[in-house]
Amino acid sequence: MRGHYSIMFDGVSLGSSSFSRHETLQIVGVSFISPHSLRLHARLVGAPSAGLDHTGPVQAEGLLRCLTDHPAQLAARADSRLAAIGGDGAVVAGGPRAKHKSTNAAGHLWSLLRQDPPCLLWDGFHRDDKARRTAYMESGPTVELFDVAGAVNQLFGVGQGRIILRSAAALIDSPSYVVPQTSGTRPTVSLQAAPGALVKNFRNYHAGLHARLDLVRKGRTAQTLTGLIALARRLDSVDFVAYLLLFEDLQKMLYHHGQVQQSNKLESWIADEQSRRLLQTLDRGIKELRRLRFWVCLSRVLRG
């Protein structure tokens, strides 16, 4: 390790949406290893305003002022004690093969603090999230899964839909579970509960759809019979249900991996070891699925 601490920062909008009308702040933190416990610690340094100009050089100058004003004199000691600067892809440009757009604010900040080649890190949590998002979008069944999850969320996750779902569950004597929100910027966080909720509320969704259909027939809702029946058929599809059960098991493993990646209290070698074990588990799962496909095909041939 070349220094005593590393810096990480990320822009955060104040408010409940990604495009909030309120202030946007740069949340700045440091990570360091305690000389007493030899454990990794993370501390908040400051939250300066991002201002109106979000270009890399301007953001780097604002971050430099924050580090300079800190009582620990982080900017003055950076030349000998700064180990690395980290953040998401919006501030870390990545290597020559990087395809994402970035302000490279981390690189500009490094050049203001040190004169040697930069040591920058696009953090593992965001890289994991980016890879997972790409894999989701390339998988037709996964796209269908989250489309259905989003559709039932609109019907039973907000407003009177929640009351309809709870009432329908009570009528069939089934426990009712909260419908998770499927909106958000990171699937690791916002989408991890969607498959499990589809499984837990499967019977309730069917009862709720019957209630919605009855409301349509009575002219009390803007929904249409065609749209609700199409959603029910998608939810009842055998291939959809089979894939849902498999994906739920996979999502449990990936969610735990995401929690490890975003933790700020674990040393890097612990996260790397967890990633290695996850890859081994996924390899075993792929082999088991291939064996299952073989036996399914063989059984169909024997039946034919």
Side-chain angles (χ1 to χ4, degrees), residues 286-302:
I286 291 174
K287 293 178 181 178
E288 292 173 357
L289 285 176
R290 288 173 177 171
R291 286 196 294 268
L292 177 62
R293 181 172 62 180
F294 169 79
W295 288 111
V296 169
C297 293
L298 180 61
S299 63
R300 293 184 63 183
V301 170
L302 293 177

Side-chain angles (χ1 to χ4, degrees), residues 29 52 94 98 147 200 213 219 222 233 245 270 278 301-302:
L52 296 177
D147 282 348
K200 292 179 180 179
L213 287 170
R233 288 175 176 172
L245 296 175
I270 298 179
L278 175 63
V301 170
L302 293 177

Side-chain angles (χ1 to χ4, degrees), residues 92-161:
V92 178
R97 294 186 297 175
K99 299 179 180 179
H100 67 287
K101 295 180 180 179
S102 175
T103 64
N104 194 28
H108 291 292
L109 178 61
W110 182 279
S111 64
L112 294 176
L113 296 171
R114 301 185 60 139
Q115 302 304 317
D116 54 346
C119 181
L120 309 177
L121 176 65
W122 183 4
D123 66 282
F125 172 62
H126 285 91
R127 285 187 285 113
D128 173 79
D129 179 77
K130 181 66 174 179
R132 193 177 307 183
R133 184 194 302 271
T134 302
Y136 286 173
M137 294 302 102
E138 292 179 352
S139 170
T142 306
V143 173
E144 172 68 5
L145 189 154
F146 287 118
D147 282 348
V148 172
V152 297
N153 175 269
Q154 293 179 359
L155 290 176
F156 304 112
V158 294
Q160 67 174 1

Side-chain angles (χ1 to χ4, degrees), residues 2-304:
R2 297 194 298 170
H4 297 156
Y5 64 90
S6 60
I7 299 173
M8 75 288 294
F9 63 94
D10 190 17
V12 177
S13 298
L14 299 180
S16 59
S17 65
S18 299
F19 303 98
S20 174
R21 297 180 180 180
H22 302 289
E23 184 71 33
T24 298
L25 306 178
Q26 285 285 8
I27 307 301
V28 187
V30 295
S31 294
F32 59 92
I33 295 179
S34 170
H36 306 289
S37 64
L38 300 181
R39 295 185 64 86
L40 184 66
H41 298 271
R43 296 291 185 270
L44 176 66
V45 171
S49 172
L52 296 177
D53 192 341
H54 291 179
T55 58
V58 174
Q59 292 301 308
E61 292 176 0
L63 293 166
L64 178 62
R65 288 192 295 271
C66 175
L67 298 174
T68 302
D69 296 339
H70 195 270
Q73 299 180 355
L74 297 172
R77 300 177 178 181
D79 189 54
S80 60
R81 296 188 178 184
L82 178 62
I85 299 178
D88 59 12
V91 300
V92 178
R97 294 186 297 175
K99 299 179 180 179
H100 67 287
K101 295 180 180 179
S102 175
T103 64
N104 194 28
H108 291 292
L109 178 61
W110 182 279
S111 64
L112 294 176
L113 296 171
R114 301 185 60 139
Q115 302 304 317
D116 54 346
C119 181
L120 309 177
L121 176 65
W122 183 4
D123 66 282
F125 172 62
H126 285 91
R127 285 187 285 113
D128 173 79
D129 179 77
K130 181 66 174 179
R132 193 177 307 183
R133 184 194 302 271
T134 302
Y136 286 173
M137 294 302 102
E138 292 179 352
S139 170
T142 306
V143 173
E144 172 68 5
L145 189 154
F146 287 118
D147 282 348
V148 172
V152 297
N153 175 269
Q154 293 179 359
L155 290 176
F156 304 112
V158 294
Q160 67 174 1
R162 294 181 177 182
I163 302 175
I164 293 175
L165 185 66
R166 290 198 302 266
S167 302
L171 285 175
I172 62 175
D173 195 21
S174 174
S176 178
Y177 299 92
V178 177
V179 181
Q181 298 295 316
T182 56
S183 61
T185 58
R186 296 191 297 271
T188 304
V189 178
S190 59
L191 299 180
Q192 63 87 18
L198 284 173
V199 175
K200 292 179 180 179
N201 278 323
F202 196 78
R203 294 180 62 215
N204 301 337
Y205 287 152
H206 282 79
L209 284 171
H210 280 288
R212 284 282 191 181
L213 287 170
D214 189 56
L215 290 175
V216 171
R217 295 187 182 99
K218 294 179 179 180
R220 297 181 180 179
T221 177
Q223 302 292 328
T224 64
L225 287 175
T226 302
L228 292 175
I229 292 174
L231 177 60
R233 288 175 176 172
R234 294 168 69 187
L235 190 62
D236 270 346
S237 174
V238 175
D239 54 350
F240 177 84
V241 175
Y243 185 79
L244 170 63
L245 296 175
L246 292 173
F247 189 83
E248 183 193 10
D249 291 339
L250 174 64
Q251 190 72 355
K252 292 177 181 177
M253 293 186 294
L254 294 179
Y255 176 69
H256 175 68
H257 176 69
Q259 294 295 334
V260 172
Q261 291 294 328
Q262 70 177 328
S263 173
N264 58 17
K265 296 182 179 180
L266 293 178
E267 285 77 5
S268 58
W269 54 85
I270 298 179
D272 291 342
E273 176 64 18
Q274 201 277 339
S275 297
R276 186 184 65 82
R277 293 179 180 178
L278 175 63
L279 288 175
Q280 293 177 347
T281 303
L282 293 176
D283 287 338
R284 289 195 298 268
I286 291 174
K287 293 178 181 178
E288 292 173 357
L289 285 176
R290 288 173 177 171
R291 286 196 294 268
L292 177 62
R293 181 172 62 180
F294 169 79
W295 288 111
V296 169
C297 293
L298 180 61
S299 63
R300 293 184 63 183
V301 170
L302 293 177
R303 289 185 62 185

